[in-house]
């Protein structure tokens, strides 16, 4: 009887701790969203590495769920619905409707539009940072798992690790975050700027 009582008590305490961790993680992500997702927009530097994308570094401008990412090999525009990817080597522009995982590989701040629904949250503190763990509730979600390292001081992310499928991890480091107002036109491909590019619609 005593063992059953202790087991029940341990289970209740574990569930309580888990609920508190999820609640704290939500609060941290809410504060991060308020800082990073400021109405006027922002910009930062990033480096993304993964088995499918190799390694690429560049700059990113964001505003709401829109972004423009620039690397030495490509420019990507996303206006909240459609993505245009310009490949400098081939002078091609591919038009697509990207998944969460594809957007996140170019825009490390995509998690800001994901965390409020469909994910279980937990959090721990490491070296003066919050580390939030997101786990997808639906096995069909393109991003199954993510770890976001967030500064306790500035509430800006410095490291994002995300998993697609069983073991396909992508790691994105972010630095030099700046609050800079961005025009909406920055997030849509303008054909006039690339008159000789071959436009391929993949939608």
């Amino acid at each position: 009887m005593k063992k059953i009582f202790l087991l029940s008590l341990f289970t209740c305490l574990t569930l309580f701790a888990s609920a508190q961790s999820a609640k704290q993680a939500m609060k941290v992500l809410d504060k991060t969203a308020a800082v990073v997702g400021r109405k006027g927009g922002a910009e930062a530097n990033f480096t993304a590495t993964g088995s499918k994308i190799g390694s690429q570094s560049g700059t990113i401008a964001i505003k709401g769920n829109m972004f423009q990412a620039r690397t030495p090999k490509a420019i990507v525009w996303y206006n909240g619905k459609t993505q245009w990817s310009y490949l400098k080597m081939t002078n091609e522009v591919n038009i697509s409707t990207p998944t969460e995982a594809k957007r996140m590989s170019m825009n490390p701040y995509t998690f800001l539009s994901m965390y409020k629904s469909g994910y279980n949250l937990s959090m721990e503190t490491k070296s003066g940072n919050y580390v939030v763990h997101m786990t997808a509730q639906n096995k069909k979600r393109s991003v199954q798992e993510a770890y976001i390292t967030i500064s306790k001081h500035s509430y800006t992310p410095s490291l994002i690790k995300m998993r697609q499928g069983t073991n396909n991890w992508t790691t994105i480091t972010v630095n030099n975050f700046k609050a800079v107002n961005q025009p909406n036109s920055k997030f849509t491909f303008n054909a006039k700027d690339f008159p000789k590019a071959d436009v391929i619609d993949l939608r």
Side-chain angles (χ1 to χ4, degrees), residues 89-108:
M89 184 180 292
T90 58
N91 198 31
E92 290 180 350
V93 178
N94 293 323
I95 306 174
S96 63
T97 304
T99 63
E100 285 177 339
K102 287 182 179 178
R103 284 190 284 122
M104 201 168 184
S105 67
M106 292 302 294
N107 177 15

Side-chain angles (χ1 to χ4, degrees), residues 141-200:
R141 195 95 184 227
S142 59
V143 176
Q144 279 295 301
E145 188 177 10
Y147 291 90
I148 301 101
T149 302
I150 298 167
S151 167
K152 272 188 171 184
H153 174 68
S154 63
Y155 284 93
T156 56
S158 59
L159 182 69
I160 296 98
K161 293 178 67 177
M162 68 162 182
R163 176 175 63 85
Q164 294 173 258
T166 305
N167 200 30
N168 179 22
W169 287 92
T170 299
T171 301
I172 307 167
T173 57
V174 188
N175 56 63
N176 200 29
F177 175 86
K178 294 178 182 177
V180 180
N181 291 341
Q182 309 288 345
N184 289 344
S185 58
K186 192 167 188 172
F187 308 104
T188 299
F189 170 73
N190 189 343
K192 292 180 180 179
D193 296 333
F194 303 87
K196 295 182 179 180
D198 186 15
V199 179
I200 303 169

Side-chain angles (χ1 to χ4, degrees), residues 119 197 201:
Y119 285 90
D201 197 331

Side-chain angles (χ1 to χ4, degrees), residues 53-128:
I53 63 172
S55 179
Q56 50 189 350
S57 297
T59 59
I60 184 164
I62 60 171
K63 187 176 183 181
N65 64 345
M66 302 183 291
F67 72 88
Q68 184 200 100
R70 289 177 173 264
T71 72
K73 295 181 180 180
I75 306 172
V76 179
W77 300 261
Y78 179 70
N79 67 359
K81 181 181 178 182
T82 303
Q83 179 172 295
W84 297 263
S85 301
Y86 173 67
L87 306 176
K88 296 180 180 179
M89 184 180 292
T90 58
N91 198 31
E92 290 180 350
V93 178
N94 293 323
I95 306 174
S96 63
T97 304
T99 63
E100 285 177 339
K102 287 182 179 178
R103 284 190 284 122
M104 201 168 184
S105 67
M106 292 302 294
N107 177 15
Y109 301 116
T110 298
F111 74 87
L112 293 175
S113 63
M114 296 163 50
Y115 74 90
K116 287 188 177 181
S117 63
Y119 285 90
N120 295 323
L121 303 177
S122 62
M123 189 180 73
E124 60 181 335
T125 302
K126 284 186 179 179
S127 304

